[in-house]
Amino acid sequence: MSIAFTSWPPELAEHYRQKGYWTDVPMTDILTRHQQNPTDHLALICGERSWTYRQLEHDAERLAASLLQLGVQPGDTALVHLPNVAEFYITFFALMKLGVVPVNALFSHNQHELTVYAEQIRPTLAIVSSGHHLFRQSTFAQTLSEQVTSLKFCLVDGDADFGYSLAAAIAGTLMPCHAFSSQAKKAVSWPELNASDVAFFQLSGGSTGTPKLIPRTHNDYYYSVRASAEICRLDSDTVYLCALPAPHNYTLSSPGALGVFYAGGTVVLAAEPSPMTCFPLIQSHQITMAALVPSAVTLWLQAAADDRSALSSLQWLQVGGAHLGESLARRIYPKLGCHLQQVFGMAEGLVNYTRFEDSEWHVLHTQGRPISDDDEIRIVDENGDDVPRGTPGALLTRGPYTFRGYYNSPEHNRVAFDKDGFYRSGDVVVMTEDGYLMVVGRDKDQINRGGEKVAAEEVENQLLAVPEITQAALVAMPDSVMGEKSCAFIVTTNPKLKPLTIRKHLRMRGIADYKLPDRIEKVDALPMTHVGKIDKKALRQRIANLLKKQSQPQPEKDVLS
Ligand code: AMP
Ligand code: DBH
């Protein structure tokens, strides 16, 4: 049984096949294509552990076989919540092989997000890590399985006194039986996969009250991976650093780990993107390419000012996920000694890259151009009319790897798409005369906190659930490192209500830490627009002015007063 989702109209699907974008080959091919000429070439490095292409495929097969034995079935769904560890990819390929469709939650997600995702996909299986506070004991897994009754199996990476051991499932020792003698292995028959089916759900940064899921098919996602690998000129010599969260669309597919696996290169995992973690990895594994968000670039530049000797193998630095200022962009080559590639993408589909042959102006000032000749771009004004090139407008898009509807969200889909199936990205962009995009703003109610997206409405709902808060509005405020942080304006019946207490409440409600308001401002009333909506523009202005005032040196106090 496959997952129901909104697919492309048949004439477009036909066109994408004719153009060779959709090859009807499932994404399991990303690993299996290397098995014909097995080499000892490393696919993956995680701490002291490493995997050749053969070993990675082997582990994915064994995990898939273990899951089959447990009773997991093709068409089931899975909730995956793992940090940047090799098991994330082993799980990804194992589930794919079985036709089990996962949501790969970010490791920074908490019980609120996991519950919302589980309620949407009704998983049979959860694969989690005891390295996360939620799964140190069985309490949350137990609660989740009572709330989401489809949940039958929990596999845990790391020590735990509940669920099944993920390590044992990968080693093939989960069941005290025959399982992995070579005869038994031959007996396992994998389900026939249909590349038009949903392969997994990608996460939307979103702007709505409830986080939305993006169905990605084998056909559409594999195309974006192959094309990205080609644009980024990956090959078996590529050594790629994955230091941002592994499930993110950027690090998974732009070209990300999947692009590197496709090309036969090596992925090196880092727990997080700080220079302290990454520089030694770059040096010891001779990493050639890394993907960062702008806030991490700032830290790398600071660290490299002292010593950049560890970076000598690094040829390309991708930067995306949030606005990269020109002055930061300019410092990358002289200070880090590697070339910059700007990436502007979205989990919903469309990805843009500056190309290696592009002029310095394009690389420093634009966020690139789309992957595909068949990425259709519309840039429109408030009336939905196309604007001329060079004029800012809202970006709409459709194409061979841009989805056609959020999972199970008919109402939201009516506003998220236009009548021709173009997705309203919520980005305000300018297109140059030669077809490059510059992201100049946003018309979605979202805060881009150093590449981590926070949907204002989701946090406002949580704030309104705090006793004594009667109104709430979350807006972006400028921040010199993160680009943006979040500021909540609240109206409360208790003048003594402290920001600390509010944060405590939000934590108890289980939202991810990065969604907690960075600043909370109490006001008597929220400003309204003439149509009766909260005037967020005025609030953004108010907090920006306040920050400016606070950063200015205060006039010296008169000693006598
Ligand atoms: P998400 O929905 O979480 O996949 O986030 C995608 C959004 O991130 C885009 O719609 C943009 O708003 C933002 N974004 C991604 N890359 C860039 C970039 N290079 N410059 C500015 N904004 C970006
Ligand atoms: O921010 C993003 O979502 C993003 C950034 C760069 C993305 O999805 C991508 C590349 O594919």
Side-chain angles (χ1 to χ4, degrees), residues 248-250 253-254 320-321 343-347 351 451 453:
H248 199 286
N249 201 54
Y250 181 17
S253 70
S254 301
V343 193
F344 160 42
M346 52 199 77
V351 179
K453 318 301 183 317

Side-chain angles (χ1 to χ4, degrees), residues 346-362:
M346 52 199 77
E348 286 80 359
L350 181 72
V351 179
N352 305 273
Y353 297 101
T354 55
R355 307 303 206 259
F356 294 162
E357 60 279 11
D358 280 345
S359 73
E360 187 187 35
W361 185 88
H362 285 88

Side-chain angles (χ1 to χ4, degrees), residues 489-508:
F489 284 91
I490 58 154
V491 179
T492 167
T493 51
N494 174 6
K496 293 204 181 110
L497 187 62
K498 291 198 178 70
L500 199 69
T501 316
I502 298 172
R503 271 199 203 95
K504 229 188 215 160
H505 268 289
L506 295 181
R507 274 220 177 85
M508 255 158 46

Side-chain angles (χ1 to χ4, degrees), residues 203-335:
L203 310 173
S204 167
S207 54
T208 54
T210 313
K212 297 274 184 285
L213 293 171
I214 303 161
R216 300 293 306 250
T217 65
H218 291 272
N219 267 334
D220 87 78
Y221 210 68
Y222 198 4
Y223 167 54
S224 80
V225 167
R226 290 192 314 272
S228 295
E230 192 174 321
I231 288 169
C232 300
R233 301 187 181 167
L234 305 189
D235 59 25
S236 57
D237 292 332
T238 302
V239 186
Y240 172 85
L241 179 72
C242 177
L244 301 174
H248 199 286
N249 201 54
Y250 181 17
T251 40
L252 195 59
S253 70
S254 301
L258 296 185
V260 176
F261 292 145
Y262 170 76
T266 307
V267 173
V268 179
L269 276 167
E272 44 82 31
S274 76
M276 214 165 64
T277 302
C278 293
F279 284 16
L281 288 173
I282 294 173
Q283 185 160 36
S284 55
H285 301 297
Q286 291 293 289
I287 283 165
T288 61
M289 177 181 185
L292 291 183
V293 288
S295 49
V297 175
T298 308
L299 303 179
W300 281 35
L301 283 167
Q302 281 164 2
D306 294 334
D307 181 8
R308 67 180 240 202
S309 58
L311 306 182
S312 62
S313 60
L314 196 63
Q315 295 164 17
W316 290 99
L317 184 66
Q318 293 188 295
V319 184
H323 174 73
L324 174 67
E326 189 206 326
S327 65
L328 203 56
R330 258 188 203 288
R331 289 162 58 203
I332 289 175
Y333 185 74
K335 303 288 181 202

